[in-house]
Amino acid sequence: MVLTGPPQRESVSMAKRVSILDQHKKPSSARVRVAVRLRPYMEKEDEKAPAACVRGLDSQSLEIVNWRNQLETMQYQFDAFYGDSATQREIYMGSVCHILPHLLIGQNASVFAYGPTGAGKTHTMLGNPSQPGVIPRAVRDLLQMTRTAAGGHENENWTYTITMSYVEIYQEKVMDLLEPKNKDLPIREDKDHNILIPGVTQKTINSFGDFDEHFIPASQNRTVASTKLNDRSSRSHAVLLIKVQKSQQVSPFRQLTGKLYLIDLAGSEDNRRTGNQGIRLKESGAINSSLFTLSKVVDALNQGLPRIPYRDSKLTRLLQDSLGGTAHSVMIANIAPEQKYYFDTLTALNFAAKSKQIINKPFSQETTQSIAALPAMKRPREEAETAAGSRQRKKSKTDSTESSPNTSMDAASKRKLNLAALDPAVVERLLKLDKILTEKGMKEAQLLSTPKRERMALLKKWEESQMEIERLKEKQKELEQKAIEAEARLEKSTNSDCNLSDSSVSECTFRAPLRGRNTSTAKAKKVLRVLPMQGNSQLQSTIEEGIPVFEKKKKKPVSCDGRENQPTWEVNVRTDLLESGRERILKLLNTGSVKELKSLQKIGDKKAKLIIGWREVNGPFKNVEDLASLEGISAKQVTSFIKANILSIIAS
């Protein structure tokens, strides 16, 4: 799309409207104005084509077929209705241009297009080279209004600056269209409850050519795609922000800032008719979700609820000024006449009817620049002399801690003489500021006169803390050395204990100290002694022959990161006892009843019945490991089962 130069000027006296608004800088509450635009019929004209479902009655009302009864119609009335033959100029002049002069007195305004996909929202806002839309016409008129206001006699000491920012809300992320690298920008609210986007790109425009230069490439960065209902369907909400700043060049240096939001909303979609899939389906979900939140905001405002869900969506957060906020708002609802768009059109009309009941409260946002923030070239000569006198007074206070009241009074009278040529309002502000600073300086004089003693005290504390740290380090080294010597002595004594006879001691094991751990005291090592078993003559004779029945060996498993874990115990059973135990278990598995099988370790009623069933189908078990073929029993469980039962058999 190429935007050409501004079209022919409309016969509207902008300067006259600005002067009228200057007399009323605190307007009363303003209702959201709603205009409805009917798109031309797009179906092929033939005998079988269905009739339009909606038609206009006059310049403010329309009627639509009642879906419950085709013989009845429902009527709606709005601030303006534009039929299918209305031009872009008629829509702009009838509903939009009257809100622009509010920007020059520091008030906000917004225009947004709402409606289903394919209803003509983007055409209304952008237009084409032969029929420019709302956006190029509004920018052209703003530039003309600022030039006219700056050339007037009443505003000869005022300057105007216009900047633009252009963003899109794509899948709940704010993207900068002027600088595509800036993605997912935040939306914030300042201390004055103004909505802003930190980090967004701002471009200064002085002519319509400057606007064209920035806006056309940015529009190409917007996300669009083709669907069954629209060849170039907008997949995001586009927001163009025009900021008008009016600054006064003389005292009291006032500054008025007005913002204009021009918003092209993405249309609500029925995925059954658009045929969206994949990424298009995800985009459609994000669009419908944000529009649903917008509907909830309108309902909450109409019902007077205490909480308005502006923060539930990035779109409603950005429209907070436009709906129930401080802006003069205009909504253009775009509808389609075809029968297949009936329910989309009905939904758009119901939303527009609810929106026109919202009341906004616009006010002028004016700030006054402080004296300290003024440029140096703007300050008078006397103010520079006052600053020199202030520096001289500070120097005299530093040299002598005691100051005379007469001296300060003389200085004050001198300042009054130096400020005699200034504006009375500026003189009053400077004197109040000087009084506050003088009182504060008198209260803090004692603290300011002793910075050296405070520094010396801090340095002394720091040196003492460093000495304390060194002392603690030396003490730590001594404790570690003592711990190492104690471990060495304990190791020698335990080694001598391990040299006892085999009849009394089977094995001696010790737990090694943890590596990388600093211990302040030596811990006694645990000694395990396995004594001969009593009450079994066979096992007793075996032990006396020097062959233990079983022994416990301590091993240190290594974890995946190379460090040693806590020591565990490994059981080594004599081979002949192991074989006899396996035979007894195998015999019990092949001949035992449910009750006998349940006497085994880790065998319950369910597993006992499972073993008997498997035995009846497949015959006797050839070895104990065949248990792994049963359902729900793993090889690891079979190994644990064998060990537990062999130890039980040996112990019995």
Side-chain angles (χ1 to χ4, degrees):
M1 181 191 68
V2 178
L3 296 176
T4 58
Q8 185 178 2
R9 298 181 181 178
E10 288 82 357
S11 56
V12 179
S13 178
M14 293 293 179
K16 183 178 180 181
R17 275 185 285 167
V18 172
S19 61
I20 292 174
L21 283 174
D22 281 335
Q23 299 173 6
H24 306 282
K25 296 184 179 180
K26 292 184 179 180
S28 58
S29 300
R31 180 176 56 82
V32 175
R33 297 180 59 84
V34 178
V36 177
R37 183 180 192 182
L38 178 63
R39 174 175 60 75
Y41 202 89
M42 303 295 292
E43 297 287 344
K44 295 181 180 179
E45 296 183 0
D46 53 18
E47 296 179 356
K48 297 182 180 180
C53 64
V54 61
R55 67 175 181 177
L57 299 178
D58 52 37
S59 61
Q60 291 184 331
S61 59
L62 57 93
E63 64 177 2
I64 185 172
V65 177
N66 188 349
W67 62 277
R68 294 185 179 89
N69 187 353
Q70 298 293 330
L71 300 178
E72 297 179 356
T73 59
M74 297 179 290
Q75 295 186 2
Y76 292 86
Q77 186 168 4
F78 301 99
D79 295 293
F81 171 75
Y82 302 100
D84 53 4
S85 61
T87 63
Q88 299 277 59
R89 179 179 178 276
E90 291 176 358
I91 296 170
Y92 174 77
M93 295 301 298
S95 298
V96 178
C97 68
H98 68 277
I99 67 172
L100 299 182
H102 295 285
L103 299 172
L104 302 187
I105 59 173
Q107 296 182 3
N108 298 335
S110 65
V111 181
F112 59 97
Y114 178 88
T117 181
K121 300 180 297 300
T122 303
H123 176 72
T124 299
M125 298 303 293
L126 296 181
N128 52 48
S130 60
Q131 287 288 328
V134 171
I135 290 178
R137 291 175 184 270
V139 173
R140 178 208 60 190
D141 281 356
L142 270 178
L143 292 168
Q144 179 63 30
M145 288 164 57
T146 54
R147 284 194 291 266
T148 303
H153 178 71
E154 297 178 357
N155 298 317
E156 60 181 2
N157 295 322
W158 293 82
T159 59
Y160 294 86
T161 305
I162 300 179
T163 59
M164 64 171 288
S165 300
Y166 197 21
V167 299
E168 70 170 352
I169 303 176
Y170 177 71
Q171 295 190 20
E172 285 301 303
K173 293 183 179 179
V174 180
M175 308 293 189
D176 192 345
L177 295 178
L178 292 174
E179 187 61 48
K181 295 180 181 179
N182 299 337
K183 297 181 179 180
D184 200 7
L185 297 173
I187 299 177
R188 298 285 185 262
E189 184 175 0
D190 62 9
K191 59 184 178 65
D192 297 324
H193 305 289
N194 296 317
I195 303 300
L196 50 91
I197 305 175
V200 70
T201 304
Q202 296 187 13
K203 299 290 186 180
T204 303
I205 53 176
N206 298 316
S207 63
F208 193 82
D210 294 342
F211 170 75
D212 234 7
E213 180 182 354
H214 299 306
F215 184 74
I216 292 177
S219 298
Q220 296 173 355
N221 295 328
R222 188 181 178 187
T223 307
V224 295
S226 176
T227 65
K228 289 184 178 180
L229 297 180
N230 194 352
D231 293 336
R232 284 184 57 83
S233 175
S234 301
R235 314 309 297 165
S236 63
H237 309 293
V239 181
L240 175 65
L241 172 60
I242 305 294
K243 186 183 293 186
V244 180
Q245 194 170 31
K246 180 181 178 182
S247 304
Q248 190 177 19
Q249 302 302 305
V250 296
S251 178
F253 304 100
R254 296 160 55 203
Q255 190 175 82
L256 302 173
T257 303
K259 294 183 292 185
L260 173 64
Y261 291 93
L262 299 169
I263 305 164
D264 178 16
L265 298 177
S268 58
E269 295 183 346
D270 185 352
N271 293 314
R272 294 170 296 183
R273 294 191 290 113
T274 57
N276 291 331
Q277 293 181 354
I279 187 63
R280 300 285 90 82
L281 186 63
K282 187 177 180 181
E283 293 169 350
S284 176
I287 292 170
N288 291 339
S289 176
S290 60
L291 293 177
F292 177 69
T293 306
L294 179 61
S295 178
K296 290 197 301 182
V297 168
V298 173
D299 290 338
L301 288 170
N302 289 333
Q303 297 173 17
L305 298 181
R307 179 188 178 273
I308 311 299
Y310 290 117
R311 296 176 182 266
D312 291 359
S313 171
K314 294 289 182 67
L315 173 64
T316 52
R317 184 67 167 150
L318 205 56
L319 289 176
Q320 186 169 342
D321 280 341
S322 305
L323 298 174
T326 61
H328 298 269
S329 299
V330 175
M331 187 184 82
I332 303 176
N334 292 262
I335 58 176
E338 291 84 1
Q339 287 288 344
K340 65 180 180 180
Y341 287 97
Y342 175 80
F343 287 103
D344 293 332
T345 298
L346 185 62
T347 302
L349 291 176
N350 290 333
F351 178 81
K354 292 187 295 185
S355 299
K356 71 176 185 178
Q357 302 175 15
I358 299 175
I359 303 298
N360 292 347
K361 296 181 179 179
F363 62 89
S364 297
Q365 302 186 31
E366 178 180 337
T367 58
T368 303
Q369 199 169 7
S370 62
I371 299 297
L374 293 176
M377 59 182 299
K378 299 291 182 182
R379 298 176 186 174
R381 177 181 173 184
E382 290 80 2
E383 188 175 350
E385 295 178 359
T386 304
S390 177
R391 288 194 296 270
Q392 185 66 25
R393 288 196 307 275
K394 289 182 179 179
K395 185 176 180 181
S396 63
K397 278 189 178 181
T398 306
D399 295 339
S400 59
T401 56
E402 296 181 357
S403 60
S404 172
N406 297 330
T407 306
S408 60
M409 290 179 65
D410 294 338
S413 61
K414 185 178 181 180
R415 286 196 303 274
K416 289 181 181 178
L417 292 174
N418 292 333
L419 295 175
L422 286 178
D423 185 85
V426 178
V427 172
E428 184 179 358
R429 289 186 183 181
L430 286 175
L431 291 178
K432 288 182 179 179
L433 179 61
D434 183 73
K435 182 179 179 181
I436 293 172
L437 293 176
T438 304
E439 292 176 356
K440 188 175 180 182
M442 293 295 291
K443 292 179 181 178
E444 298 180 355
Q446 296 179 357
L447 295 177
L448 295 175
S449 62
T450 58
K452 187 174 181 180
R453 276 181 282 177
E454 293 180 1
R455 288 200 305 272
M456 295 301 294
L458 290 175
L459 288 174
K460 186 176 180 180
K461 288 182 179 179
W462 181 79
E463 290 176 356
E464 291 176 354
S465 62
Q466 291 296 320
M467 293 174 61
E468 182 68 17
I469 291 172
E470 293 295 331
R471 188 180 64 80
L472 291 175
K473 286 183 178 179
E474 293 178 358
K475 187 175 180 180
Q476 180 70 14
K477 290 181 180 179
E478 293 177 1
L479 293 175
E480 290 178 357
Q481 186 65 27
K482 290 180 181 179
I484 294 173
E485 293 175 357
E487 288 179 3
R489 288 196 301 271
L490 184 59
E491 186 176 355
K492 290 180 181 179
S493 62
T494 52
N495 287 337
S496 62
D497 292 340
C498 286
N499 294 328
L500 300 175
S501 60
D502 293 340
S503 60
S504 60
V505 178
S506 171
E507 186 178 349
C508 293
T509 58
F510 308 98
R511 188 172 73 177
L514 294 174
R515 301 248 179 120
R517 178 180 174 185
N518 296 327
T519 57
S520 59
T521 58
K523 295 184 178 179
K525 295 181 179 297
K526 295 182 179 180
V527 180
L528 175 65
R529 295 181 177 86
V530 182
L531 299 177
M533 298 182 63
Q534 304 293 334
N536 193 318
S537 59
Q538 181 180 0
L539 296 180
Q540 181 67 30
S541 61
T542 306
I543 293 173
E544 289 177 354
E545 294 174 359
I547 304 174
V549 176
F550 62 90
E551 60 181 358
K552 295 181 180 179
K553 290 186 178 180
K554 186 180 177 185
K555 64 177 183 178
K556 300 176 181 178
V558 180
S559 61
C560 58
D561 57 357
R563 296 182 298 179
E564 294 181 355
N565 293 333
Q566 293 293 333
T568 59
W569 296 99
E570 182 183 14
V571 179
N572 294 329
V573 184
R574 213 172 64 187
T575 307
D576 54 344
L577 294 177
L578 181 62
E579 291 298 330
S580 62
R582 293 172 67 89
E583 290 175 1
R584 290 179 60 182
I585 295 173
L586 184 61
K587 182 179 179 181
L588 194 57
L589 290 175
N590 289 327
T591 61
S593 61
V594 174
K595 185 175 181 181
E596 292 173 343
L597 288 173
K598 288 172 64 177
S599 65
L600 294 174
Q601 298 287 335
K602 300 182 181 291
I603 296 294
D605 184 69
K606 183 178 178 181
K607 289 185 179 179
K609 292 179 180 180
L610 192 63
I611 291 171
I612 293 176
W614 190 92
R615 194 171 62 195
E616 292 175 355
V617 175
N618 301 299
F621 291 92
K622 294 181 180 180
N623 50 57
V624 183
E625 283 74 8
D626 290 344
L627 285 173
S629 61
L630 296 178
E631 183 180 359
I633 300 179
S634 62
K636 186 176 180 181
Q637 291 176 335
V638 172
T639 303
S640 176
F641 164 77
I642 294 172
K643 288 182 179 180
N645 283 283
I646 288 177
L647 291 177
S648 177
I649 292 171
I650 293 174
S652 61

